[in-house]
Coordinates of all heavy atoms in Angstrom, one line a residue:
V1 N -31.7 79.6 118.6 CA -31.0 79.3 117.3 C -31.2 77.8 117.0 O -31.4 77.5 115.8 CB -29.5 79.7 117.5 CG1 -28.8 79.2 116.3 CG2 -29.4 81.2 117.7
L2 N -31.1 76.9 117.9 CA -31.2 75.5 117.6 C -32.6 75.2 117.1 O -32.7 74.3 116.2 CB -30.9 74.6 118.8 CG -29.4 74.6 119.2 CD1 -29.2 73.7 120.5 CD2 -28.6 74.0 118.1
F3 N -33.6 75.8 117.6 CA -35.0 75.6 117.1 C -35.1 76.0 115.7 O -35.7 75.3 114.8 CB -36.0 76.3 118.0 CG -36.2 75.8 119.3 CD1 -35.7 76.5 120.4 CD2 -36.7 74.6 119.6 CE1 -35.8 76.0 121.7 CE2 -36.8 74.0 120.8 CZ -36.4 74.8 121.9
E4 N -34.4 77.1 115.3 CA -34.5 77.6 113.9 C -33.7 76.7 113.0 O -34.2 76.4 111.9 CB -33.8 79.0 113.9 CG -34.7 80.1 114.5 CD -34.0 81.4 114.6 OE1 -32.8 81.5 114.2 OE2 -34.6 82.3 115.1
I5 N -32.6 76.2 113.5 CA -31.8 75.2 112.7 C -32.7 74.0 112.4 O -32.7 73.5 111.3 CB -30.5 74.8 113.4 CG1 -29.6 76.0 113.5 CG2 -29.8 73.6 112.7 CD1 -28.4 75.8 114.3
A6 N -33.3 73.4 113.5 CA -34.1 72.2 113.3 C -35.3 72.5 112.4 O -35.6 71.7 111.5 CB -34.7 71.8 114.7
F7 N -35.9 73.7 112.5 CA -37.0 74.0 111.6 C -36.6 74.1 110.1 O -37.2 73.6 109.2 CB -37.6 75.3 112.0 CG -38.8 75.8 111.2 CD1 -40.0 75.2 111.3 CD2 -38.6 76.7 110.2 CE1 -41.1 75.6 110.5 CE2 -39.6 77.1 109.4 CZ -40.9 76.5 109.5
F8 N -35.5 74.9 109.9 CA -35.1 75.1 108.5 C -34.4 74.0 107.8 O -34.4 73.9 106.6 CB -34.2 76.4 108.4 CG -35.1 77.7 108.7 CD1 -34.9 78.4 109.8 CD2 -36.0 78.0 107.8 CE1 -35.6 79.6 110.0 CE2 -36.8 79.2 108.0 CZ -36.6 79.9 109.1
T9 N -33.8 73.1 108.6 CA -33.1 72.0 108.0 C -34.0 70.8 107.8 O -33.7 69.8 107.2 CB -31.9 71.5 108.9 OG1 -32.3 71.2 110.2 CG2 -30.8 72.6 108.9
G10 N -35.2 70.8 108.5 CA -36.2 69.8 108.3 C -36.3 68.9 109.4 O -35.3 68.7 110.2
F11 N -37.4 68.3 109.6 CA -37.7 67.4 110.7 C -36.8 66.2 110.7 O -36.5 65.7 111.7 CB -39.2 67.0 110.6 CG -39.6 66.1 111.7 CD1 -39.8 66.6 113.0 CD2 -39.9 64.7 111.5 CE1 -40.2 65.7 114.0 CE2 -40.3 63.9 112.5 CZ -40.4 64.4 113.8
T12 N -36.4 65.7 109.5 CA -35.6 64.5 109.5 C -34.1 64.7 109.6 O -33.4 63.7 109.5 CB -35.9 63.7 108.2 OG1 -35.6 64.6 107.1 CG2 -37.4 63.3 108.1
D13 N -33.6 65.9 109.9 CA -32.2 66.1 110.1 C -31.9 65.7 111.5 O -32.2 66.3 112.5 CB -31.9 67.6 109.9 CG -30.4 67.9 110.1 OD1 -29.7 67.2 110.9 OD2 -29.9 68.8 109.4
V14 N -31.3 64.5 111.6 CA -31.1 63.8 112.9 C -30.2 64.7 113.8 O -30.5 64.8 115.0 CB -30.5 62.4 112.7 CG1 -30.2 61.8 114.0 CG2 -31.4 61.5 111.9
D15 N -29.1 65.2 113.3 CA -28.2 66.0 114.1 C -28.9 67.2 114.7 O -28.7 67.5 115.9 CB -27.0 66.4 113.3 CG -26.1 65.2 113.0 OD1 -26.1 64.2 113.8 OD2 -25.4 65.3 112.0
A16 N -29.7 67.9 113.9 CA -30.4 69.1 114.4 C -31.5 68.7 115.4 O -31.6 69.3 116.4 CB -31.1 69.8 113.2
Q17 N -32.2 67.6 115.2 CA -33.2 67.1 116.2 C -32.5 66.7 117.5 O -33.1 66.9 118.6 CB -34.1 66.1 115.6 CG -34.9 66.5 114.4 CD -35.9 67.6 114.8 OE1 -36.3 67.7 115.9 NE2 -36.2 68.5 113.8
L18 N -31.4 66.0 117.4 CA -30.7 65.6 118.6 C -30.2 66.8 119.4 O -30.3 66.9 120.6 CB -29.5 64.7 118.2 CG -29.8 63.3 117.7 CD1 -28.6 62.6 117.2 CD2 -30.5 62.5 118.8
A19 N -29.7 67.9 118.7 CA -29.3 69.1 119.3 C -30.4 69.8 120.1 O -30.3 70.2 121.2 CB -28.7 70.0 118.3
V20 N -31.6 69.8 119.4 CA -32.8 70.4 120.1 C -33.2 69.6 121.3 O -33.6 70.1 122.3 CB -33.9 70.7 119.1 CG1 -35.1 71.2 119.8 CG2 -33.5 71.6 118.0
A21 N -33.2 68.3 121.1 CA -33.5 67.4 122.2 C -32.5 67.6 123.4 O -33.0 67.6 124.6 CB -33.5 65.9 121.8
D22 N -31.3 67.8 123.1 CA -30.3 68.1 124.2 C -30.7 69.3 124.9 O -30.6 69.4 126.1 CB -28.9 68.2 123.6 CG -28.3 66.9 123.2 OD1 -28.8 65.8 123.5 OD2 -27.3 66.9 122.4
L23 N -31.1 70.3 124.1 CA -31.5 71.6 124.7 C -32.7 71.4 125.6 O -32.8 72.0 126.7 CB -31.7 72.6 123.6 CG -32.1 74.0 124.0 CD1 -30.9 74.6 124.8 CD2 -32.3 74.9 122.8
D24 N -33.7 70.6 125.1 CA -34.9 70.3 125.9 C -34.5 69.7 127.2 O -35.0 70.1 128.3 CB -35.8 69.3 125.1 CG -36.5 69.9 123.9 OD1 -36.7 71.1 123.9 OD2 -36.9 69.0 123.1
V25 N -33.6 68.7 127.2 CA -33.2 68.1 128.4 C -32.5 69.0 129.4 O -32.8 69.1 130.6 CB -32.3 66.8 128.1 CG1 -31.7 66.3 129.4 CG2 -33.2 65.7 127.5
S26 N -31.6 69.8 128.8 CA -30.9 70.8 129.7 C -31.8 71.8 130.3 O -31.5 72.3 131.4 CB -29.7 71.5 128.9 OG -30.3 72.4 127.9
G27 N -32.9 72.1 129.7 CA -33.9 73.0 130.2 C -34.9 72.3 131.1 O -35.9 73.0 131.5
G28 N -34.8 71.0 131.3 CA -35.7 70.3 132.1 C -37.0 69.9 131.4 O -37.9 69.4 132.1
H29 N -37.0 69.9 130.1 CA -38.2 69.5 129.3 C -38.0 68.1 128.8 O -37.9 67.9 127.6 CB -38.4 70.5 128.2 CG -38.6 71.9 128.7 ND1 -39.8 72.3 129.3 CD2 -37.7 72.9 128.8 CE1 -39.6 73.6 129.7 NE2 -38.4 74.0 129.4
L30 N -37.8 67.1 129.7 CA -37.6 65.8 129.3 C -38.7 65.2 128.4 O -38.4 64.5 127.4 CB -37.4 64.9 130.5 CG -36.7 63.6 130.4 CD1 -35.3 63.8 129.7 CD2 -36.5 62.9 131.7
D31 N -39.9 65.5 128.7 CA -41.0 65.0 127.9 C -40.9 65.5 126.5 O -41.2 64.7 125.5 CB -42.4 65.4 128.5 CG -42.8 64.7 129.7 OD1 -42.4 63.5 129.8 OD2 -43.5 65.2 130.6
D32 N -40.5 66.7 126.3 CA -40.4 67.3 124.9 C -39.3 66.5 124.2 O -39.4 66.2 123.0 CB -40.1 68.8 125.0 CG -41.3 69.6 125.5 OD1 -42.4 69.1 125.5 OD2 -41.0 70.7 126.0
A33 N -38.2 66.3 124.9 CA -37.1 65.6 124.2 C -37.5 64.2 123.8 O -37.2 63.7 122.7 CB -35.9 65.5 125.1
F34 N -38.2 63.5 124.7 CA -38.6 62.1 124.4 C -39.6 62.1 123.2 O -39.5 61.3 122.3 CB -39.3 61.5 125.6 CG -38.4 61.1 126.7 CD1 -38.9 60.9 128.0 CD2 -37.0 60.9 126.5 CE1 -38.0 60.5 129.0 CE2 -36.2 60.5 127.5 CZ -36.7 60.3 128.8
A35 N -40.6 63.0 123.2 CA -41.5 63.1 122.2 C -40.9 63.4 120.8 O -41.2 62.8 119.8 CB -42.6 64.1 122.5
R36 N -40.0 64.4 120.8 CA -39.3 64.8 119.6 C -38.6 63.6 119.0 O -38.7 63.3 117.8 CB -38.3 65.9 119.9 CG -37.4 66.3 118.8 CD -36.4 67.4 119.2 NE -37.1 68.5 119.8 CZ -37.7 69.4 119.1 NH1 -37.8 69.3 117.8 NH2 -38.3 70.4 119.7
L37 N -37.8 62.9 119.8 CA -37.0 61.8 119.2 C -37.9 60.5 118.9 O -37.6 59.9 117.9 CB -35.9 61.4 120.2 CG -34.9 62.5 120.4 CD1 -33.8 62.1 121.4 CD2 -34.3 63.1 119.1
L38 N -38.9 60.3 119.7 CA -39.7 59.1 119.4 C -40.6 59.3 118.2 O -40.9 58.4 117.5 CB -40.5 58.7 120.7 CG -39.7 58.2 121.8 CD1 -40.5 58.1 123.1 CD2 -39.1 56.8 121.4
D39 N -41.0 60.6 118.0 CA -41.8 60.9 116.8 C -41.0 60.8 115.5 O -41.4 60.4 114.5 CB -42.4 62.3 116.9 CG -43.5 62.4 117.9 OD1 -44.0 61.4 118.4 OD2 -43.9 63.6 118.2
L40 N -39.7 61.1 115.7 CA -38.8 61.1 114.5 C -38.4 59.7 114.2 O -38.2 59.3 113.0 CB -37.5 61.9 114.9 CG -36.4 62.0 113.9 CD1 -36.8 62.8 112.7 CD2 -35.2 62.7 114.6
F41 N -38.2 58.8 115.2 CA -37.7 57.5 115.0 C -38.2 56.6 113.8 O -37.4 56.1 113.1 CB -37.8 56.7 116.3 CG -37.1 55.4 116.4 CD1 -35.8 55.4 116.8 CD2 -37.6 54.2 116.0 CE1 -35.0 54.3 116.9 CE2 -36.9 53.0 116.1 CZ -35.6 53.1 116.5
P42 N -39.5 56.5 113.7 CA -40.0 55.6 112.6 C -39.6 56.0 111.2 O -39.6 55.1 110.3 CB -41.6 55.7 112.8 CG -41.8 56.3 114.1 CD -40.6 57.1 114.4
I43 N -39.3 57.2 110.9 CA -39.0 57.6 109.5 C -37.5 57.6 109.2 O -37.2 58.0 108.1 CB -39.7 59.0 109.2 CG1 -39.1 60.1 110.1 CG2 -41.2 58.9 109.3 CD1 -39.5 61.5 109.7
L44 N -36.7 57.2 110.2 CA -35.2 57.3 110.0 C -34.7 56.0 109.3 O -35.3 55.0 109.5 CB -34.6 57.5 111.3 CG -34.9 58.9 112.0 CD1 -34.2 58.9 113.3 CD2 -34.4 60.0 111.1
D45 N -33.5 56.2 108.7 CA -32.8 55.0 108.3 C -32.1 54.3 109.5 O -32.2 54.8 110.6 CB -31.8 55.3 107.2 CG -30.7 56.3 107.6 OD1 -30.5 56.5 108.9 OD2 -30.0 56.9 106.8
A46 N -31.4 53.2 109.2 CA -30.8 52.4 110.3 C -29.8 53.3 111.1 O -29.8 53.2 112.4 CB -30.2 51.2 109.8
A47 N -29.0 54.0 110.5 CA -28.0 54.9 111.2 C -28.7 55.9 112.1 O -28.3 56.2 113.2 CB -27.1 55.5 110.2
G48 N -29.7 56.5 111.5 CA -30.5 57.6 112.3 C -31.2 56.9 113.5 O -31.2 57.5 114.6
K49 N -31.8 55.8 113.3 CA -32.4 55.1 114.4 C -31.4 54.7 115.5 O -31.7 54.9 116.7 CB -33.1 53.8 113.9 CG -34.4 54.1 113.1 CD -35.1 52.9 112.6 CE -36.3 53.2 111.9 NZ -37.1 52.1 111.4
N50 N -30.3 54.3 115.1 CA -29.2 54.0 116.1 C -28.8 55.2 116.9 O -28.7 55.1 118.1 CB -28.0 53.3 115.4 CG -27.1 52.7 116.5 OD1 -27.5 52.0 117.4 ND2 -25.8 53.1 116.4
A51 N -28.6 56.3 116.2 CA -28.3 57.6 116.9 C -29.3 58.0 117.9 O -29.0 58.4 119.0 CB -28.0 58.7 115.9
V52 N -30.6 57.9 117.4 CA -31.7 58.4 118.3 C -31.8 57.4 119.5 O -32.0 57.8 120.6 CB -33.0 58.5 117.5 CG1 -34.2 58.6 118.4 CG2 -32.9 59.7 116.6
R53 N -31.7 56.1 119.2 CA -31.8 55.1 120.3 C -30.8 55.3 121.3 O -31.0 55.3 122.5 CB -31.8 53.7 119.7 CG -31.9 52.6 120.7 CD -31.6 51.2 120.2 NE -30.3 51.1 119.6 CZ -29.2 50.9 120.3 NH1 -29.2 50.8 121.6 NH2 -28.0 50.9 119.7
T54 N -29.6 55.5 120.9 CA -28.4 55.8 121.8 C -28.7 57.0 122.6 O -28.5 57.0 123.9 CB -27.1 55.9 121.0 OG1 -26.9 54.7 120.3 CG2 -25.9 56.2 121.9
R55 N -29.1 58.1 122.0 CA -29.4 59.3 122.8 C -30.5 59.1 123.8 O -30.4 59.6 124.9 CB -29.7 60.5 121.8 CG -29.8 61.8 122.5 CD -28.5 62.3 123.1 NE -27.4 62.2 122.2 CZ -27.1 63.2 121.3 NH1 -27.7 64.3 121.3 NH2 -26.1 63.1 120.5
L56 N -31.5 58.4 123.4 CA -32.6 58.1 124.3 C -32.2 57.4 125.5 O -32.5 57.7 126.6 CB -33.8 57.4 123.6 CG -34.7 58.3 122.7 CD1 -35.5 57.4 121.8 CD2 -35.5 59.2 123.5
L57 N -31.3 56.4 125.3 CA -30.8 55.6 126.4 C -30.0 56.5 127.3 O -30.0 56.3 128.6 CB -29.9 54.4 125.9 CG -30.7 53.3 125.1 CD1 -29.8 52.3 124.6 CD2 -31.8 52.7 126.0
E58 N -29.2 57.4 126.8 CA -28.5 58.4 127.6 C -29.5 59.2 128.5 O -29.2 59.4 129.7 CB -27.6 59.3 126.8 CG -26.5 58.6 126.1 CD -25.8 59.4 125.0 OE1 -26.2 60.6 124.8 OE2 -24.8 58.9 124.4
F59 N -30.5 59.7 127.8 CA -31.5 60.5 128.6 C -32.2 59.6 129.6 O -32.5 60.1 130.7 CB -32.6 61.0 127.6 CG -32.1 62.1 126.6 CD1 -32.8 62.4 125.5 CD2 -30.9 62.7 126.8 CE1 -32.4 63.4 124.7 CE2 -30.4 63.7 125.9 CZ -31.2 64.1 124.9
F60 N -32.5 58.4 129.4 CA -33.1 57.5 130.4 C -32.2 57.4 131.6 O -32.7 57.4 132.7 CB -33.3 56.1 129.8 CG -34.3 56.0 128.7 CD1 -34.4 54.8 127.9 CD2 -35.2 57.0 128.4 CE1 -35.3 54.7 126.9 CE2 -36.1 56.9 127.4 CZ -36.2 55.8 126.6
E61 N -30.9 57.3 131.4 CA -30.0 57.2 132.5 C -29.9 58.5 133.3 O -29.8 58.5 134.5 CB -28.6 56.9 132.0 CG -28.4 55.4 131.7 CD -27.0 55.0 131.6 OE1 -26.1 55.5 132.3 OE2 -26.7 54.1 130.7
I62 N -30.0 59.6 132.6 CA -30.0 60.9 133.3 C -31.2 61.1 134.2 O -31.0 61.5 135.3 CB -30.0 62.1 132.2 CG1 -28.6 62.1 131.5 CG2 -30.3 63.4 132.9 CD1 -28.6 63.1 130.3
A63 N -32.3 60.7 133.7 CA -33.5 60.8 134.5 C -33.7 59.7 135.6 O -34.3 60.0 136.6 CB -34.8 60.8 133.6
G64 N -33.2 58.6 135.3 CA -33.3 57.5 136.2 C -34.4 56.5 135.8 O -35.5 56.9 135.3
A65 N -34.2 55.3 136.1 CA -35.1 54.2 135.6 C -36.5 54.3 136.3 O -37.5 53.8 135.7 CB -34.5 52.8 135.9
D66 N -36.6 54.9 137.5 CA -37.8 55.0 138.2 C -38.7 56.2 137.8 O -39.8 56.3 138.2 CB -37.6 55.0 139.7 CG -37.0 53.7 140.2 OD1 -37.2 52.7 139.5 OD2 -36.3 53.8 141.2
D67 N -38.1 57.1 137.0 CA -38.9 58.3 136.5 C -40.0 57.8 135.7 O -39.8 57.1 134.7 CB -38.0 59.2 135.8 CG -38.6 60.5 135.4 OD1 -39.7 60.5 134.9 OD2 -38.0 61.5 135.7
P68 N -41.3 58.2 136.0 CA -42.4 57.8 135.2 C -42.3 58.2 133.7 O -42.8 57.5 132.8 CB -43.6 58.5 135.8 CG -43.1 58.9 137.2 CD -41.7 59.0 137.1
R69 N -41.7 59.3 133.4 CA -41.5 59.7 132.0 C -40.6 58.7 131.3 O -40.8 58.4 130.1 CB -40.9 61.1 131.9 CG -41.8 62.2 132.6 CD -41.1 63.5 132.8 NE -40.0 63.3 133.7 CZ -39.2 64.3 134.0 NH1 -39.4 65.5 133.6 NH2 -38.2 64.1 134.9
V70 N -39.6 58.2 131.9 CA -38.7 57.2 131.3 C -39.5 55.9 131.1 O -39.3 55.3 130.0 CB -37.5 57.0 132.2 CG1 -36.7 55.8 131.8 CG2 -36.6 58.2 132.3
I71 N -40.3 55.5 132.0 CA -41.0 54.3 131.9 C -41.9 54.3 130.6 O -42.0 53.4 129.8 CB -41.9 54.0 133.1 CG1 -40.9 53.7 134.3 CG2 -42.8 52.8 132.9 CD1 -41.6 53.7 135.7
V72 N -42.6 55.5 130.4 CA -43.5 55.6 129.3 C -42.7 55.7 128.0 O -43.0 55.0 127.0 CB -44.4 56.9 129.4 CG1 -45.1 57.2 128.1 CG2 -45.3 56.7 130.6
A73 N -41.6 56.4 128.0 CA -40.8 56.6 126.8 C -40.1 55.3 126.4 O -40.0 54.9 125.3 CB -39.7 57.7 127.0
R74 N -39.6 54.5 127.4 CA -39.0 53.3 127.2 C -40.0 52.3 126.6 O -39.6 51.5 125.6 CB -38.4 52.7 128.5 CG -37.5 51.5 128.3 CD -36.9 51.0 129.5 NE -36.0 51.9 130.2 CZ -34.7 52.0 130.0 NH1 -34.2 51.2 129.1 NH2 -34.0 52.8 130.7
R75 N -41.2 52.3 127.1 CA -42.2 51.4 126.5 C -42.5 51.8 125.1 O -42.6 50.9 124.2 CB -43.5 51.5 127.4 CG -44.6 50.5 127.0 CD -45.8 50.6 127.9 NE -45.4 50.3 129.3 CZ -45.7 51.1 130.3 NH1 -46.4 52.3 130.1 NH2 -45.3 50.8 131.5
R76 N -42.6 53.0 124.8 CA -42.8 53.5 123.4 C -41.7 53.1 122.5 O -41.9 52.6 121.4 CB -43.1 55.0 123.4 CG -43.5 55.4 122.0 CD -44.0 56.9 122.0 NE -44.1 57.3 120.6 CZ -44.0 58.6 120.2 NH1 -43.9 59.5 121.1 NH2 -44.1 58.9 119.0
L77 N -40.4 53.3 123.0 CA -39.3 52.9 122.2 C -39.2 51.4 121.9 O -39.0 51.0 120.7 CB -38.0 53.3 122.9 CG -36.7 52.9 122.2 CD1 -36.6 53.6 120.8 CD2 -35.5 53.3 123.0
T78 N -39.6 50.6 122.9 CA -39.6 49.2 122.7 C -40.6 48.8 121.6 O -40.3 48.0 120.7 CB -40.0 48.5 124.0 OG1 -39.0 48.8 125.0 CG2 -40.1 47.0 123.8
G79 N -41.8 49.5 121.6 CA -42.8 49.2 120.6 C -42.3 49.6 119.2 O -42.6 48.9 118.2
L80 N -41.5 50.6 119.1 CA -41.0 51.1 117.8 C -39.9 50.2 117.3 O -39.7 50.0 116.1 CB -40.5 52.5 117.9 CG -41.5 53.6 118.1 CD1 -40.8 54.9 118.5 CD2 -42.4 53.7 116.9
L81 N -39.2 49.5 118.2 CA -38.1 48.6 117.8 C -38.6 47.3 117.3 O -37.9 46.6 116.5 CB -37.1 48.4 119.0 CG -36.2 49.6 119.4 CD1 -35.5 49.4 120.7 CD2 -35.2 49.9 118.3
Y82 N -39.7 46.9 117.8 CA -40.2 45.5 117.5 C -41.5 45.5 116.9 O -42.3 46.1 116.5 CB -40.3 44.7 118.8 CG -38.9 44.5 119.4 CD1 -38.6 45.3 120.6 CD2 -37.9 43.7 118.9 CE1 -37.4 45.2 121.2 CE2 -36.7 43.6 119.5 CZ -36.4 44.4 120.6 OH -35.2 44.3 121.2

């Protein structure tokens, strides 16, 4: 259902994309969650970017700083921020 919501509400619906990313993480698909949110990030307004950045930081903590997927995603987020 969440995938359908994200599809029908559009790629830029931040709440829908965050919900699907949460589902990705709960299912063990951390790479998918990171890709979804990092692909979305550049086209968002300031509030959307803040929401995505905050959620990514939460996911980074869940996985742990030493997780290679976190290292790659953190590097990509840093590039998008600056």
